[in-house]
Coordinates of all heavy atoms in Angstrom, one line a residue:
A1101 N 31.0 -5.8 17.8 CA 30.0 -6.7 18.2 C 28.6 -6.1 18.3 O 27.6 -6.7 18.0 CB 30.4 -7.4 19.5
S1102 N 28.6 -4.8 18.8 CA 27.3 -4.1 18.9 C 26.6 -3.8 17.6 O 25.4 -3.6 17.6 CB 27.5 -2.8 19.7 OG 28.3 -2.0 19.0
D1103 N 27.4 -3.9 16.5 CA 26.8 -3.7 15.2 C 26.2 -5.0 14.6 O 25.5 -5.0 13.6 CB 27.8 -3.2 14.2 CG 28.1 -1.7 14.4 OD1 27.4 -1.0 15.1 OD2 29.2 -1.3 13.9
I1104 N 26.5 -6.1 15.3 CA 26.0 -7.4 14.9 C 24.7 -7.7 15.7 O 23.7 -7.9 15.1 CB 27.0 -8.5 15.1 CG1 28.4 -8.2 14.4 CG2 26.5 -9.9 14.7 CD1 28.3 -8.1 12.9
L1105 N 24.8 -7.7 17.0 CA 23.7 -8.0 17.8 C 23.7 -6.9 18.9 O 24.6 -6.9 19.8 CB 23.8 -9.4 18.5 CG 23.8 -10.5 17.5 CD1 24.1 -11.8 18.3 CD2 22.5 -10.7 16.8
P1106 N 22.8 -5.9 18.8 CA 22.9 -4.8 19.7 C 22.5 -5.1 21.1 O 21.6 -6.0 21.4 CB 21.9 -3.8 19.1 CG 20.9 -4.7 18.3 CD 21.7 -5.8 17.8
G1107 N 23.1 -4.4 22.1 CA 22.7 -4.5 23.5 C 21.8 -3.3 23.8 O 21.6 -2.4 23.0
V1108 N 21.4 -3.3 25.0 CA 20.5 -2.2 25.5 C 21.1 -0.8 25.2 O 20.4 0.1 24.8 CB 20.1 -2.4 27.0 CG1 19.3 -1.2 27.5 CG2 19.4 -3.7 27.2
D1109 N 22.3 -0.6 25.4 CA 23.0 0.7 25.3 C 23.3 1.1 23.8 O 23.8 2.2 23.6 CB 24.3 0.7 26.1 CG 24.0 0.6 27.6 OD1 22.9 1.0 28.0 OD2 24.9 0.1 28.3
D1110 N 23.0 0.2 22.9 CA 23.3 0.4 21.5 C 22.2 1.1 20.7 O 22.4 1.4 19.6 CB 23.7 -0.9 20.8 CG 25.0 -1.5 21.4 OD1 25.9 -0.7 21.6 OD2 25.0 -2.7 21.6
F1111 N 21.1 1.2 21.3 CA 19.9 1.8 20.7 C 20.0 3.3 20.7 O 20.5 3.9 21.7 CB 18.6 1.3 21.3 CG 18.3 -0.1 20.9 CD1 18.8 -1.2 21.6 CD2 17.5 -0.4 19.8 CE1 18.6 -2.5 21.3 CE2 17.3 -1.7 19.4 CZ 17.8 -2.8 20.1
R1112 N 19.4 3.9 19.7 CA 19.2 5.4 19.7 C 17.7 5.6 19.6 O 17.0 4.8 18.9 CB 19.9 6.0 18.4 CG 21.4 5.8 18.3 CD 21.7 4.7 17.4 NE 23.1 4.6 17.0 CZ 23.8 3.5 17.0 NH1 23.3 2.4 17.2 NH2 25.1 3.6 16.6
M1113 N 17.2 6.6 20.3 CA 15.7 6.8 20.2 C 15.4 8.3 20.1 O 16.1 9.1 20.5 CB 15.1 6.1 21.3 CG 15.5 6.5 22.7 SD 14.7 5.4 23.9 CE 16.2 4.7 24.6
Q1114 N 14.2 8.5 19.6 CA 13.6 9.8 19.5 C 12.1 9.7 19.7 O 11.5 8.9 19.1 CB 13.9 10.5 18.2 CG 13.3 11.8 18.0 CD 13.6 12.5 16.7 OE1 14.4 12.0 15.9 NE2 13.1 13.7 16.5
T1115 N 11.6 10.6 20.5 CA 10.2 10.7 20.7 C 9.6 11.4 19.5 O 10.1 12.3 18.9 CB 9.8 11.6 21.9 OG1 10.4 11.0 23.1 CG2 8.3 11.7 22.2
I1116 N 8.5 10.8 19.0 CA 7.7 11.4 17.9 C 6.3 11.5 18.2 O 5.7 10.7 18.9 CB 7.9 10.7 16.5 CG1 7.5 9.2 16.6 CG2 9.4 10.7 16.1 CD1 7.5 8.5 15.3
T1117 N 5.6 12.6 17.8 CA 4.2 12.8 18.1 C 3.5 13.3 16.8 O 4.1 14.1 16.1 CB 4.1 13.9 19.2 OG1 4.9 13.5 20.3 CG2 2.7 14.1 19.6
R1118 N 2.3 12.8 16.6 CA 1.5 13.3 15.4 C 1.1 14.7 15.6 O 0.5 15.1 16.7 CB 0.3 12.4 15.3 CG -0.5 12.7 14.1 CD -1.7 11.9 14.0 NE -2.5 12.2 12.8 CZ -3.6 11.5 12.4 NH1 -4.0 10.6 13.2 NH2 -4.2 11.9 11.3
A1119 N 1.3 15.5 14.6 CA 0.8 16.9 14.6 C -0.7 16.8 14.3 O -1.1 16.0 13.5 CB 1.6 17.7 13.6
R1120 N -1.4 17.8 14.8 CA -2.9 17.8 14.6 C -3.3 17.8 13.1 O -4.2 17.1 12.7 CB -3.5 19.0 15.3 CG -3.6 18.9 16.7 CD -4.4 20.1 17.3 NE -4.3 20.1 18.7 CZ -5.2 19.7 19.6 NH1 -6.3 19.1 19.1 NH2 -5.0 19.7 20.9
S1121 N -2.5 18.5 12.3 CA -2.8 18.6 10.9 C -2.2 17.6 10.0 O -2.4 17.6 8.8 CB -2.4 20.0 10.4 OG -1.0 20.1 10.5
E1122 N -1.5 16.7 10.6 CA -0.7 15.6 9.8 C -1.7 14.6 9.3 O -2.3 13.9 10.1 CB 0.3 15.0 10.7 CG 1.3 14.1 9.9 CD 2.5 13.8 10.7 OE1 2.6 14.1 11.9 OE2 3.4 13.1 10.2
T1123 N -1.8 14.5 8.0 CA -2.7 13.5 7.4 C -2.0 12.2 7.0 O -2.7 11.2 6.8 CB -3.3 14.1 6.1 OG1 -2.3 14.5 5.2 CG2 -4.2 15.4 6.4
D1124 N -0.7 12.2 6.8 CA 0.0 11.0 6.4 C 0.7 10.3 7.6 O 1.6 9.5 7.3 CB 1.0 11.4 5.3 CG 0.4 11.7 4.0 OD1 -0.7 11.1 3.8 OD2 0.9 12.4 3.2
W1125 N 0.3 10.6 8.8 CA 0.9 9.8 10.0 C 0.5 8.4 9.8 O -0.6 8.0 9.6 CB 0.3 10.4 11.2 CG 0.7 9.8 12.5 CD1 -0.1 8.8 13.2 CD2 1.9 10.0 13.3 NE1 0.6 8.5 14.3 CE2 1.8 9.1 14.4 CE3 3.0 10.8 13.1 CZ2 2.8 9.1 15.4 CZ3 4.0 10.8 14.0 CH2 3.9 9.9 15.2
P1126 N 1.5 7.5 9.8 CA 1.2 6.1 9.4 C 0.8 5.2 10.6 O 0.3 4.1 10.4 CB 2.6 5.6 9.0 CG 3.6 6.4 9.7 CD 2.9 7.8 9.8
F1127 N 0.9 5.7 11.8 CA 0.6 4.8 13.0 C -0.7 5.1 13.6 O -1.2 6.2 13.6 CB 1.7 5.0 14.0 CG 3.1 5.0 13.4 CD1 3.9 6.1 13.3 CD2 3.6 3.7 13.0 CE1 5.2 6.0 12.7 CE2 4.9 3.7 12.4 CZ 5.7 4.8 12.3
L1128 N -1.3 4.1 14.3 CA -2.5 4.2 15.1 C -2.3 5.1 16.3 O -3.1 5.9 16.7 CB -3.1 2.9 15.4 CG -3.8 2.1 14.3 CD1 -4.2 0.7 14.7 CD2 -4.9 2.9 13.7
A1129 N -1.1 4.8 17.0 CA -0.8 5.6 18.2 C -0.4 7.0 17.8 O 0.3 7.2 16.8 CB 0.4 4.9 18.9
N1130 N -0.8 8.0 18.5 CA -0.5 9.4 18.2 C 0.9 9.8 18.7 O 1.3 10.9 18.4 CB -1.6 10.3 18.7 CG -2.9 10.2 17.9 OD1 -2.8 10.0 16.7 ND2 -4.0 10.2 18.6
K1131 N 1.5 8.9 19.5 CA 2.8 9.3 20.1 C 3.6 8.0 20.2 O 3.0 6.9 20.3 CB 2.6 9.9 21.4 CG 3.9 10.3 22.1 CD 3.5 10.9 23.5 CE 4.8 11.3 24.2 NZ 4.6 11.8 25.5
G1132 N 4.9 8.1 20.2 CA 5.7 6.9 20.3 C 7.2 7.2 20.3 O 7.6 8.4 20.3
L1133 N 8.0 6.2 20.1 CA 9.4 6.3 20.0 C 9.8 5.8 18.6 O 9.3 4.7 18.2 CB 10.1 5.5 21.1 CG 10.1 6.0 22.5 CD1 10.7 4.9 23.4 CD2 10.8 7.3 22.7
L1134 N 10.7 6.5 18.0 CA 11.4 6.0 16.8 C 12.7 5.4 17.4 O 13.4 6.2 18.1 CB 11.6 7.1 15.9 CG 11.9 6.7 14.4 CD1 10.7 5.9 13.9 CD2 12.0 8.0 13.6
V1135 N 13.1 4.2 17.1 CA 14.2 3.6 17.7 C 15.1 3.0 16.6 O 14.6 2.4 15.6 CB 13.8 2.5 18.7 CG1 15.0 1.8 19.3 CG2 12.9 3.0 19.8
C1136 N 16.4 3.1 16.7 CA 17.3 2.5 15.7 C 18.5 1.8 16.3 O 19.0 2.3 17.4 CB 17.8 3.6 14.7 SG 18.7 2.9 13.3
A1137 N 18.9 0.7 15.8 CA 20.1 0.0 16.2 C 20.6 -0.7 14.9 O 19.9 -1.0 14.0 CB 19.8 -1.0 17.3
K1138 N 21.9 -0.9 14.9 CA 22.5 -1.7 13.8 C 22.4 -3.2 14.2 O 22.8 -3.6 15.3 CB 23.9 -1.3 13.6 CG 24.0 0.1 13.0 CD 25.4 0.5 12.7 CE 25.3 1.9 12.1 NZ 26.7 2.5 11.8
V1139 N 21.8 -3.9 13.3 CA 21.7 -5.4 13.4 C 22.3 -6.0 12.2 O 21.9 -5.7 11.1 CB 20.2 -5.8 13.6 CG1 20.1 -7.3 13.7 CG2 19.5 -5.1 14.7
L1140 N 23.3 -6.9 12.4 CA 24.0 -7.4 11.3 C 24.6 -6.4 10.4 O 24.5 -6.4 9.2 CB 23.2 -8.5 10.5 CG 22.7 -9.7 11.3 CD1 21.8 -10.5 10.5 CD2 23.9 -10.5 11.9
L1141 N 25.1 -5.3 11.0 CA 25.7 -4.1 10.3 C 24.8 -3.2 9.6 O 25.2 -2.3 9.0 CB 26.8 -4.6 9.3 CG 28.0 -5.4 9.9 CD1 28.9 -5.9 8.8 CD2 28.7 -4.6 11.0
K1142 N 23.5 -3.5 9.7 CA 22.5 -2.7 8.9 C 21.6 -2.0 9.9 O 21.1 -2.5 10.9 CB 21.6 -3.7 8.1 CG 20.5 -3.0 7.3 CD 19.7 -4.0 6.6 CE 18.5 -3.3 6.1 NZ 17.3 -4.2 5.9
P1143 N 21.4 -0.7 9.7 CA 20.5 0.1 10.6 C 19.0 -0.5 10.5 O 18.5 -0.6 9.4 CB 20.5 1.5 10.0 CG 21.5 1.6 9.0 CD 21.9 0.2 8.6
V1144 N 18.4 -0.8 11.6 CA 17.1 -1.2 11.6 C 16.3 -0.2 12.5 O 16.7 0.1 13.6 CB 17.0 -2.7 12.3 CG1 15.6 -3.1 12.3 CG2 17.8 -3.6 11.5
V1145 N 15.2 0.2 11.9 CA 14.3 1.2 12.5 C 13.0 0.6 13.0 O 12.4 -0.2 12.3 CB 14.0 2.4 11.5 CG1 13.2 3.5 12.2 CG2 15.3 3.0 10.9

Side-chain angles (χ1 to χ4, degrees):
S1102 62
D1103 288 342
I1104 306 297
L1105 299 172
V1108 173
D1109 296 333
D1110 297 316
F1111 287 86
R1112 298 101 167 135
M1113 60 188 117
Q1114 178 178 357
T1115 302
I1116 59 172
T1117 307
R1118 179 182 185 179
R1120 288 185 188 261
S1121 62
E1122 190 167 3
T1123 59
D1124 286 332
W1125 178 260
F1127 311 109
L1128 288 173
N1130 288 323
K1131 182 180 180 183
L1133 290 174
L1134 203 57
V1135 179
C1136 186
K1138 291 184 180 174
V1139 179
L1140 298 176
L1141 301 175
K1142 179 183 171 205
V1144 179
V1145 181

